[in-house]
């Protein structure tokens, strides 16, 4: 199992929403079907191709199933390949500060990836992959935090622009 954790200064719901938007985009890219957030739930599944490192291969087809979904705390999915091999990924979000705390919304995000490889050849390779993966996951979590902050900033700017436009339209320029 690979596990990475990061404390972030963002609202849990904003991070969770971004994560689910990413999954819904993946479903659209993989299947061509649009799934509305209201219809996304535990048990949702789809097929996708995952790129492999082998040159000349188109990748492997896997079935992705949402195995746990609890907003804004948990997202877990199982990626099943052939031969009873599978990978389970899980994002768990823990609230560390009181909501609306003057110091900000602090959460801890823990990402885990657990493997069930039946191939004896996969085990030595998996150990090496775990070492690389942990650093990649930490970088990914840092990127997620930055994306959430950027999205929040853009929403605030749009809201301010709307408010300014609304106030500008209703006020008179009586010079």
């Amino acid at each position: 199992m690979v596990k990475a954790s990061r404390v972030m200064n963002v609202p849990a719901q904003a991070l969770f929403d971004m994560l689910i938007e990413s999954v819904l985009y993946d479903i659209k890219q993989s299947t061509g079907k649009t799934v509305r957030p209201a219809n996304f739930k535990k048990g949702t599944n789809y097929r996708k191709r995952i790129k492999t490192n082998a040159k000349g291969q188109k990748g492997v087809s896997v079935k992705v199933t949402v195995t746990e979904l609890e907003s804004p705390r948990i997202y877990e999915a199982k990626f099943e390949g052939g031969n009873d091999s599978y990978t389970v990924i899980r994002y768990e979000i823990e609230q560390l500060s009181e909501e609306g705390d003057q110091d900000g919304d602090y959460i801890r995000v823990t990402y885990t990836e657990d493997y069930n490889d039946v191939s004896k050849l996969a085990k030595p390779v998996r150990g090496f992959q775990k070492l690389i993966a942990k650093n990649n996951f930490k970088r990914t979590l840092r990127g997620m935090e930055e994306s959430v902050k950027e999205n929040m900033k853009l929403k605030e700017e749009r809201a301010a622009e709307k408010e300014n436009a609304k106030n500008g339209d209703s006020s008179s320029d009586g010079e």
Side-chain angles (χ1 to χ4, degrees):
M1 179 192 312
V2 177
K3 187 174 188 176
S5 188
R6 179 172 176 82
V7 173
M8 299 181 185
N9 185 6
V10 296
Q13 191 66 56
L15 179 74
F16 190 83
D17 290 347
M18 188 189 79
L19 178 63
I20 298 308
E21 284 174 22
S22 174
V23 174
L24 296 176
Y25 179 78
D26 187 44
I27 292 172
K28 174 75 172 169
Q29 292 299 109
S30 299
T31 67
K33 296 178 184 174
T34 301
V35 176
R36 292 187 3 225
N39 296 334
F40 184 71
K41 58 188 181 284
K42 180 179 176 179
T44 298
N45 66 71
Y46 62 100
R47 292 202 75 78
K48 70 178 281 179
R49 290 195 92 54
I50 296 181
K51 294 177 184 172
T52 62
N53 290 337
K55 291 185 179 183
Q57 285 192 354
K58 293 181 182 176
V60 295
S61 177
V62 296
K63 179 182 177 186
V64 182
T65 304
V66 177
T67 53
E68 196 169 347
L69 187 66
E70 184 184 323
S71 177
R73 292 188 352 90
I74 299 169
Y75 168 75
E76 182 182 273
K78 184 176 188 179
F79 293 71
E80 297 174 89
N83 302 328
D84 296 326
S85 293
Y86 62 86
T87 300
V88 175
I89 65 161
R90 179 181 180 92
Y91 286 88
E92 198 160 341
I93 302 170
E94 175 188 1
Q95 191 73 43
L96 299 177
S97 65
E98 294 294 320
E99 221 172 297
D101 191 321
Q102 66 182 14
D103 293 329
D105 291 310
Y106 285 93
I107 59 174
R108 177 179 295 114
V109 180
T110 303
Y111 175 86
T112 55
E113 195 167 295
D114 200 8
Y115 312 96
N116 177 38
D117 290 322
V118 294
S119 164
K120 290 186 190 305
L121 294 175
K123 290 182 181 175
V125 173
R126 185 63 72 195
F128 180 68
Q129 287 175 330
K130 286 179 184 179
L131 190 63
I132 294 170
K134 187 166 188 170
N135 288 328
N136 288 342
F137 298 143
K138 286 181 179 182
R139 210 172 15 256
T140 298
L141 291 174
R142 190 170 39 251
M144 289 172 69
E145 179 180 20
E146 290 168 8
S147 291
V148 168
K149 286 180 178 180
E150 185 63 29
N151 285 344
M152 290 171 59
K153 183 179 173 185
L154 287 172
K155 284 180 183 178
E156 287 174 9
E157 288 172 359
R158 285 187 196 129
E161 286 173 6
K162 273 186 174 180
E163 188 63 30
N164 288 340
K166 187 171 126 180
N167 290 338
D169 290 342
S170 62
S171 65
S172 63
D173 281 330
E175 286 184 33

